[in-house]
Amino acid sequence: MKLSPLALAAALAFTGTAHAQAKLKVGLMLPSSGTYAALGTAIDNGFRLYVAEQGGKLAGREIEYIRVDDESDPAKATDNVNKLIKRDNVDVLVGTVHSGVAMAMAKAAKESGTLLIVPNAGADAVTGPMCAPNIFRSSFSNWQPGYAMGEVMAKKGLKKVVTITWKYAAGDESVRGFKEAFEKGGGQVVKELNLPFPNVEFQALLTEIAATKPDAVYTFFAGGGAVKFVKDYAAAGLKKNIPLYGAGFITDGTLEAQGADASGMQTTLHYADSLGTPRDNAFRLAYAKTYKLQPDVYAVQGYDAAQILAIGLNAVKGDVGKKAEFAAAVEKAKIDSPRGPFTMSKAHNPVQDMYLREVSGKENKLVSVATKALADPGKGCRM
Ligand code: BEZ
């Protein structure tokens, strides 16, 4: 059928209007079961809080959420993400917590061109060899907090350290980042202990730490597993003799359950509970009022994932198809995060301050800025 110029103009105007008013489908692929369930909830809360603060719309488009429980199970990840992309036709994917699951999401996003914002998982590869113009991270790379703690512990004059973590990308890469900075600073990793994710049978490994008698221990655990590890470490009598340090996930969102067993622990992370900036105070108040809970780093990352989406969408007036313009806007933005402002690296990973924190009561209190504007090296990223 051939349309007259007038009818064509009218049809185009109608399509434009319909497009501007269509809901933006956000596929939230996060864990709501298993050891990382609470992390998924905090990310979801943070994301929705930012959207609610914008009146429930981003760039004029209402948001429709489609939530999938990924169970932090890499074996189910490809099916889960493909359902969101192919069956639900989401405009944007937001997920996830677990590095192994996130790598499957990044592969699917890269192949399909779907916009992906990673609100936690630190898999170095996502902003390394798997980087893409349509993939962004609002959180960290696993290397970042590990590297910052390596510098801190070397400066403390600690010499011999044992590391302990789960055997998967997040644990391996966190230890690798730690080791890189710690050994550069004159320390030595004398033993690397691990167990499969999400196993929490720590006893045999704790006995090995006691027998090795290192100056200190560096650890990566998170969620329910982190709670159990800190409690078991204290119960084994190690807390008073061998100080326990870690990437901040070991004490973030976990202090209520860890109680006194976590007291005094020092960790490094891109957030702390007592930053005291007007931006963070406002965020914490809004979060506490909305959810009757204190926020943690995961809530901040969810909130910032929505901010990144808003920055890109505003630049393209809600049209996610304009990928180059979307990316250009995010690449030049200074993101006004509760953690402090940050920018994106070329590979789309936050360039951000790493804080040294110490557990006091139920808070990860700020001690100092451990490393200013730490950028992941983004090894292997070609864009
Ligand atoms: C990860 O798998 O990348 C991860 C999970 C929990 C906390 C931090 C990182």
Side-chain angles (χ1 to χ4, degrees):
M1 182 181 60
K2 196 158 187 286
L3 291 179
S4 70
L6 204 62
L8 187 63
L12 284 175
F14 175 77
T15 323
T17 314
H19 174 79
Q21 289 172 347
K23 285 189 180 173
L24 186 90
K25 283 194 184 181
V26 175
L28 291 171
M29 186 162 148
L30 295 166
S32 33
S33 54
T35 200
Y36 288 160
L39 288 59
T41 304
I43 290 167
D44 187 320
N45 287 347
F47 193 96
R48 289 179 203 248
L49 176 62
Y50 183 80
V51 172
E53 286 176 356
Q54 314 312 306
K57 291 183 181 177
L58 298 182
R61 293 182 71 175
E62 270 178 54
I63 308 295
E64 178 183 340
Y65 295 103
I66 300 160
R67 170 105 192 226
V68 166
D69 176 10
D70 67 36
E71 304 169 50
S72 294
D73 185 350
K76 298 181 181 159
T78 302
D79 273 358
N80 281 330
V81 72
N82 280 334
K83 272 184 213 147
L84 286 169
I85 295 173
K86 293 179 185 154
R87 181 193 65 191
D88 302 322
N89 279 315
V90 297
D91 296 296
V92 52
L93 288 163
V94 176
T96 185
V97 170
H98 184 286
S99 275
V101 178
M103 283 194 273
M105 294 183 77
K107 184 167 182 288
K110 201 168 169 149
E111 283 166 8
S112 64
T114 313
L115 180 60
L116 167 64
I117 305 178
V118 180
N120 182 70
D124 292 347
V126 167
T127 52
M130 303 180 85
C131 76
N134 57 315
I135 300 177
F136 302 86
R137 182 148 54 195
S138 65
S139 52
F140 59 92
S141 73
N142 290 320
W143 176 89
Q144 282 177 309
Y147 187 89
M149 190 41 107
E151 288 189 330
V152 167
M153 288 174 68
K155 277 189 206 135
K156 283 180 188 287
L158 296 163
K159 292 292 173 217
K160 292 197 182 307
V161 163
V162 169
T163 64
I164 178 164
T165 188
W166 278 313
K167 184 85 203 130
Y168 82 105
D172 290 347
E173 293 168 358
S174 181
V175 165
R176 210 177 299 144
F178 167 76
K179 196 171 167 180
E180 183 185 330
F182 186 58
E183 298 201 337
K184 215 189 279 172
Q188 194 193 350
V189 172
V190 292
K191 204 169 261 182
E192 295 184 30
L193 301 174
N194 32 78
L195 71 172
F197 173 88
N199 195 323
V200 289
E201 297 311 316
F202 300 119
Q203 267 329 309
L205 299 177
L206 292 174
T207 305
E208 209 171 329
I209 291 173
T212 309
K213 296 193 180 66
D215 296 338
V217 167
Y218 172 80
T219 187
F220 167 91
F221 289 110
V227 171
K228 177 140 192 311
F229 182 75
V230 167
K231 295 192 87 56
D232 286 4
Y233 195 86
L238 295 175
K239 180 171 159 54
K240 49 186 186 307
N241 299 321
I242 307 174
L244 178 61
Y245 297 89
F249 312 106
I250 186 84
T251 57
D252 229 82
T254 54
L255 291 176
E256 197 77 48
Q258 286 163 335
D261 291 340
S263 72
M265 262 191 79
Q266 290 199 338
T267 62
T268 41
L269 205 62
H270 46 287
Y271 190 56
D273 291 320
S274 57
L275 293 176
T277 58
R279 180 70 179 102
D280 190 43
N281 290 346
F283 164 75
R284 293 185 75 89
L285 188 65
Y287 193 93
K289 267 192 184 164
T290 309
Y291 301 111
K292 316 286 175 253
L293 283 171
Q294 289 304 314
D296 54 21
V297 71
Y298 310 106
V300 171
Q301 294 167 172
Y303 188 83
D304 291 340
Q307 286 211 69
I308 289 170
L309 180 58
I311 289 165
L313 281 179
N314 285 333
V316 297
K317 301 198 170 43
D319 182 355
V320 276
K322 295 188 171 160
K323 289 179 196 152
E325 293 95 321
F326 185 106
V330 177
E331 282 162 11
K332 66 170 193 280
K334 190 174 200 185
I335 295 142
D336 187 18
S337 170
R339 76 188 83 170
F342 70 88
T343 55
M344 283 289 180
S345 69
K346 277 208 181 91
H348 296 170
N349 190 65
V351 177
Q352 55 193 339
D353 293 349
M354 287 287 141
Y355 302 110
L356 175 63
R357 313 108 47 87
E358 183 169 316
V359 175
S360 169
K362 302 227 171 99
E363 289 200 339
N364 287 288
K365 287 242 158 81
L366 175 67
V367 175
S368 60
V369 174
T371 317
K372 191 98 197 115
L374 185 63
D376 179 89
K379 278 188 204 137
C381 171
R382 309 254 172 283
M383 267 209 254

